[in-house]
């Protein structure tokens, strides 16, 4: 009896050891998604990150990319990452603002002076702190991996060029799902309509909205120019994007694997940036070729003054943070 018990224990520990080594070597396929198509800078950066992870782990860790809203719109992507149904999601800070209040500071209209200013902020301690707020958020269930560039957002519509604030009067403009953006459009005199990126084409086709606002690469790759040919360089928002990782999966990974993913994500941040500037240039070229009517806004200050009520409503609670952002140069 004694002997039998001993053997059973030995057999059990052999099984435990075997399953441990199987676990150490078992393949991990990280499911990643993005609203944008293959080739878009954010998608390409994550695809490249996957190849690097695969090379660094001899194929043990890889990334499977689901581009073009294959897993739903941005809201669905966030929800799926939160429950661990997917592992990596590239999302905008836009819809994260209501969840992580400090992130909403990046969503304030005209908060950054220039792309260089924005990059300095996200690359520095403020960027790190704000990303950490997301990671530490008690119910978000997400790990913030890195920032990405998304240029500036400008208004486009099917009716007329916007050269001054009053041109927006009466226009229904789709905004991202965050009350701050609806308030921004309303402060400018338009009618802000919140909806997902995945619903926008249909809304423009059916006249539910007259247009939207976004950066040039999204306008181009989303083929929004087919429904809204007036693209007016309002540059009212400069919202960075983020790569998030499911906390559930993160907690299941070894410290080494986490460090590796974290390091590669940091590299992806810079790789995406270079791709971003190329894509922006290419998109503008394609917009010209597609006959988009583009115009500059001669008096930006008029737009900045018009969104003061948005600052009054949302900025007060973050004054110290905003002062620090403005002091970065
Ligand atoms: C894009 C951004 C997406 C999404 C989209 C939108 O510029 O990359 O993540 O936020 O805008 O307007 O919903």
């Amino acid at each position: 009896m004694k002997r039998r018990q001993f053997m059973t224990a030995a057999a059990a520990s052999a099984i435990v050891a075997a399953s441990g080594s199987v676990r150490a070597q078992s393949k991990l396929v990280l499911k990643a998604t993005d609203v944008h198509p293959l080739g878009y800078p954010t998608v390409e950066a994550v695809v490249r990150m996957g190849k690097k992870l695969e090379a660094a782990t001899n194929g043990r860790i890889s990334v499977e990319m689901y581009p073009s809203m294959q897993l739903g719109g941005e809201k669905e992507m966030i929800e799926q990452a939160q429950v661990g149904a997917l592992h990596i999601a590239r999302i905008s800070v836009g819809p994260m603002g209501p969840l992580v209040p400090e992130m909403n500071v990046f969503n304030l209209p005209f908060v950054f002076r220039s792309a260089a200013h924005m990059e300095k902020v996200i690359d520095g301690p403020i960027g790190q702190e704000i990303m950490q707020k997301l990671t530490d958020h008690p119910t978000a269930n997400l790990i913030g991996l890195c920032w990405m560039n998304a240029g500036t957002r400008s208004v486009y519509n099917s009716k007329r060029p916007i050269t001054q604030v009053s041109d927006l009067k009466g226009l229904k403009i789709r905004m991202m799902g965050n009350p701050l953006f609806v308030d921004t459009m309303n402060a400018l005199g338009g009618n802000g309509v919140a909806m997902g990126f995945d619903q926008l084409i249909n809304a423009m086709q059916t006249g539910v909205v007259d247009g939207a606002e976004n950066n040039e690469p999204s306008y181009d790759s989303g083929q929004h120019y087919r429904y809204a040919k007036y693209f007016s360089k309002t540059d009212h928002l400069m919202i960075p994007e983020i790569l998030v990782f499911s906390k559930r999966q993160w907690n299941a990974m070894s410290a080494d694997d986490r460090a590796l993913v974290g390091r590669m994500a940091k590299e992806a941040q810079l790789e995406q940036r270079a791709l971003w500037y190329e894509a922006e240039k290419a998109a503008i070229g394609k917009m010209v070729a597609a006959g988009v009517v583009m115009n500059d806004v001669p008096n930006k200050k008029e737009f900045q003054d018009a969104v003061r009520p948005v600052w009054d409503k949302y900025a007060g609670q973050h004054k110290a943070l905003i002062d620090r952002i403005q002091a970065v140069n």
Side-chain angles (χ1 to χ4, degrees), residues 35-36 74 90 92 153 174 176 197 214-215 218 241:
V35 295
H36 297 299
E74 201 145 299
R90 199 288 311 153
S92 168
R153 296 174 76 102
R174 176 267 171 176
M176 279 189 279
F197 196 58
N214 218 316
N215 51 50
S218 295
E241 324 223 88

Side-chain angles (χ1 to χ4, degrees), residues 79-121:
E79 284 165 4
Q80 289 172 49
Q82 287 179 317
V83 296
L86 68 85
H87 307 117
I88 299 177
R90 199 288 311 153
I91 56 181
S92 168
V93 163
M96 295 308 284
L99 191 65
V100 185
E102 292 80 2
M103 281 201 160
N104 232 9
V105 169
F106 288 174
N107 291 330
L108 284 166
F110 304 107
V111 70
F112 296 112
R113 293 186 302 273
S114 62
H117 178 215
M118 189 277 291
E119 287 172 4
K120 216 153 178 204
V121 171

Side-chain angles (χ1 to χ4, degrees), residues 201-212:
I201 294 260
N202 184 260
M204 286 194 291
Q205 275 172 337
T206 55
V208 167
V209 294
D210 301 307

Side-chain angles (χ1 to χ4, degrees), residues 158 195 198-211 222-224 226-228:
S158 60
M195 66 174 72
D198 51 318
Q199 297 170 297
L200 177 53
I201 294 260
N202 184 260
M204 286 194 291
Q205 275 172 337
T206 55
V208 167
V209 294
D210 301 307
Q223 306 206 341
H224 298 173
R226 294 169 64 181
Y227 315 99

Side-chain angles (χ1 to χ4, degrees), residues 23-38:
R23 197 169 340 125
Q25 288 162 12
S26 69
K27 290 206 171 202
L28 174 59
V29 180
L30 297 172
K31 207 167 155 186
T33 191
D34 197 308
V35 295
H36 297 299
L38 285 177

